[in-house]
Amino acid sequence: MTVLVMKRVLTPTIAAITLIIKFKGSKRFFMNVHIQTILSDVNWIHNEKADNIALRVENMKIRCVNEAMEKALETVLCPPCGGPHGKEEQLCNLQKLRTKNVILKTEYERLSSYLTKHGGYSIPSVDALPDLHGPSTYGSTSNNRPASYGSSSNHLPQQSSLLRRPCTRELINTTPLPKPVLLQHFQQLSQLEKNRMFEIAKNAVAEVMSLIQMEHSMWIKSTIDGRAIIDPGNYKRYFTKNSHLKSPSALQSHHESSMEVVVVQMDARNLVDMFLNTEKWARLFPTIVNEAKTIHVLDSMDHPRQTYSRVVYEQLHILSPLVLPREFIILRTCQQMKEDLWLIADVSCYLQNVEFESTAPICTKRPSGVLIQALPHGRSKVTWIEHVEVTDKVWPHQLYRDLLYGGFGYGARRWTATLERMCERLSLYSINHFPSTDYPGVVKTIEGRRSVMSLGERMLKNFAWIMKMSDKLDLPQQSGANNSGVRISVRTNTEAGQPPGLIVCAGSSLSLPLPPLKVYDFLRNLEVRHQWDVLCHGNPVTEAARFVTGPDQKNNVTFLQPSSVGEYKLMILQDGFIDALGGMVVYAPMEINTAYSAISGQVDPSTIPILPSGFIISRDSRPSSSEVDGGSMTLLTLAFQIFVTGPSYYTDLNLKDSATTVNALVSSAVQRIKAMLNCE
């Protein structure tokens, strides 16, 4: 009995002890498993670190190989041409090859002409030969022949076989760019396309007329300067639903709109004719329109009023190489609203297989235009509307960014200011006597006066054209916060009116804390000119003749006579103007005999070779309390052209040396002008 009781008492105790022993063993087991897991993780981490170290070592090896390959590419020789593969060296070698190509083509044309004339042989034109690399656009520079600043030709060049292509197609390609728009190869429009364009033209005319009539509800004042701009909310509500224009979605775009009203000294019918003729259009706006050409002339629309439409290509550019040109294919429509009232509407249209320059901004002209009303005494009232949508592929340079985005770049005010100035100039050009404001000086005849004024106008146009400098070399080490650095462009010129051969152009833009009018007066001051203009050789300059080109006598074309240096004598032709947005001072040296040919009026001024250099003065985008001085800040662009060598000069040439020379010329002029204006 006692044993049974003890067994019953001890049995639970033994079971509990056994359970405790089993639990401790299980705990020890799990602890062992956990330790093994930790050790495994530690080993994995060590392995991963080792792999990372190995990858880093491999990456360093690859980087070293890449650096070695880059250094090798800089020094390796190119078997076909024997030149290095560096960018500058490639440009030099390609430049020499293309210069020789121009020379060989010239010789080919000469021999071809001789054989055709004397031997009866017919040889195809050199332009008909295959050209795998585009037109021969590279010129070259010389180490052995001194470059001349501007033109010093003492003879008038005759038309020759060189004059086959316009200068606008003979730019130097320093980087591979797509070929420009070939305007002569557009296909004829189908009747369906014409009907579509008639509909677009009709809508554009209606929209422009509505924008003019809805002056109070559609236009608001700009917060920047108070000018009239389109109210985007109202515009979207009224006009964009039925528009054929689609906004680019890939890039962010901005709208530019403005309206101006002016009265100009020109008959309304003549003004309408100049708007519809692209050659006259480009002449009327020489500092804005770089190129213009009519592509298609459409039949007259079936409308009770006289209506004409045409498809036009235009390239616009202003102020500086830092401002990219804008290109448009537009449908231009002229409709006579009343006997003395015409409306001209522009709107972008799309043609197949048309590609503009790769870096040019995408520009869409929404219905814009002018309303021209005839006034007594041969005057016209012009209401101008500009409305453009712009998508920049490249961020504009900081010097001109605010000006462009603020609407001062291509806005209606620039167009109307240019129109006013050119109408006044054309009016003064046509008179048959010397006004009292003129100083004829060495010019004795009205024909001579017109010749000088025509030369000045062409000089302004040529200078504005070279400002595009789409193919350029940048010297970034010269740049700064208020300075763009020096940009260099090289071209082989074959155009009449400029010296045939290699021309180097260098330009720079900078900001000055002075009003535009003060800068303009300084550049025209003959008393200090010899201190910054190398053409004067440090000698004083006198005025030989002056002809006023507008109501403001500060706008004039002049012949300047520097004191002679040795046997070489020259004169300087200078044209300048100033308005509310800025101005230009452009000049070109002329050998004394060439100058007197222009003064005589007996020679076609379009054949007289001139190579202009000069300055473009622009106000900045900040509002001004006074329109007299145009503001408190000036954006100044200066550009010099140097004639280096003729088309038949075979000496080995070096682009780098010429670039260094012209860079020094521009940099020196900038420093002297800043010092004289106390803007250092």
Side-chain angles (χ1 to χ4, degrees), residues 311-324:
V311 180
V312 174
Y313 164 79
E314 66 177 11
Q315 183 187 79
L316 312 179
H317 186 252
I318 56 172
L319 299 180
S320 168
L322 303 180
V323 180
L324 291 174

Side-chain angles (χ1 to χ4, degrees), residues 53 329 512:
I53 293 172
I329 299 290
L512 298 174

Side-chain angles (χ1 to χ4, degrees), residues 6 11 19 208 224 247 261 283 299 307 363 392 417 473 477:
M6 292 179 64
T11 298
L19 183 61
V208 173
I224 299 176
S247 298
V261 181
R283 182 187 177 190
D299 300 330
T307 306
C363 300
D392 289 309
L473 301 174
Q477 69 273 15

